[in-house]
């Protein structure tokens, strides 16, 4: 026989469980490294950075023409960086051009040249510039 008191306790537990949902908490506290670090080794390698960048590229390409224009980039690149990244000067970046910038920023953010970015490297100026292209 299940008592009314037991049911009330269960309801309270479920309600509490919802307001402290681990999924929600994880989402709220999600560090950039966790979202990008798909093999969970605590660092971001170039492959992981490019994967995140490709996902973002697809998301930003609202008109689905396969390129990002200035509006779609929404300030992720300065005018100067855009010119440097856009060798044919048509004002848009293809995925290849975008990933080339990602690779440049990745290397800039990896001063110890071990091929991975740890949390400290990602928090550096260069690391944060890279993250703007990944999320
Ligand atoms: Ca990793
Ligand atoms: Ca586009
Ligand atoms: Ca490194």
């Amino acid at each position: 026989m299940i008592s009314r008191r037991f049911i009330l306790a269960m309801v309270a537990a479920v309600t509490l469980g919802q307001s402290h949902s681990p999924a929600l908490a994880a989402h709220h506290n999600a560090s950039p490294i966790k979202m990008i670090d798909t093999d969970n080794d605590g660092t971001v390698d170039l492959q992981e950075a490019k994967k995140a960048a490709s996902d973002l590229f697809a998301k930003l390409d609202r008109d689905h023409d396969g390129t990002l224009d200035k509006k779609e980039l929404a300030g992720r690149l300065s005018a100067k960086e855009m010119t440097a990244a856009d060798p044919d000067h048509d004002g848009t970046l293809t995925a290849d051009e975008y990933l080339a910038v990602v690779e440049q920023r990745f290397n800039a953010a990896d001063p110890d040249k071990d091929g991975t970015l740890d949390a400290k490297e990602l928090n550096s100026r260069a690391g944060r510039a890279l993250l703007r292209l990944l999320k």
Side-chain angles (χ1 to χ4, degrees), residues 4-108:
R4 188 181 155 77
R5 203 164 159 183
F6 177 77
I7 291 168
L8 282 176
M10 285 301 288
V11 169
V14 168
T15 310
L16 269 176
Q18 276 170 351
S19 60
H20 293 93
S21 155
L24 272 177
H27 182 75
H28 187 72
N29 297 321
S31 73
I33 194 163
K34 278 206 184 116
M35 289 160 53
I36 301 163
D37 178 23
T38 46
D39 65 1
N40 286 315
D41 68 348
T43 62
V44 172
D45 58 36
L46 183 58
Q47 213 189 337
E48 288 167 337
K50 284 191 167 177
K51 171 75 177 64
S54 301
D55 291 349
L56 180 66
F57 186 96
K59 218 186 294 170
L60 293 178
D61 183 18
R62 296 237 165 83
D63 58 5
H64 303 290
D65 66 349
T67 63
L68 295 185
D69 55 34
K70 219 174 124 190
K71 218 171 100 193
E72 289 169 331
L73 281 165
R76 283 182 168 79
L77 266 68
S78 72
K80 211 175 118 199
E81 287 167 331
M82 182 74 188
T83 310
D86 178 28
D88 57 5
H89 301 293
D90 66 348
T92 65
L93 296 187
T94 63
D96 282 350
E97 288 168 340
Y98 189 78
L99 290 178
V101 184
V102 168
E103 188 161 350
Q104 260 171 31
R105 290 194 180 181
F106 183 95
N107 289 329

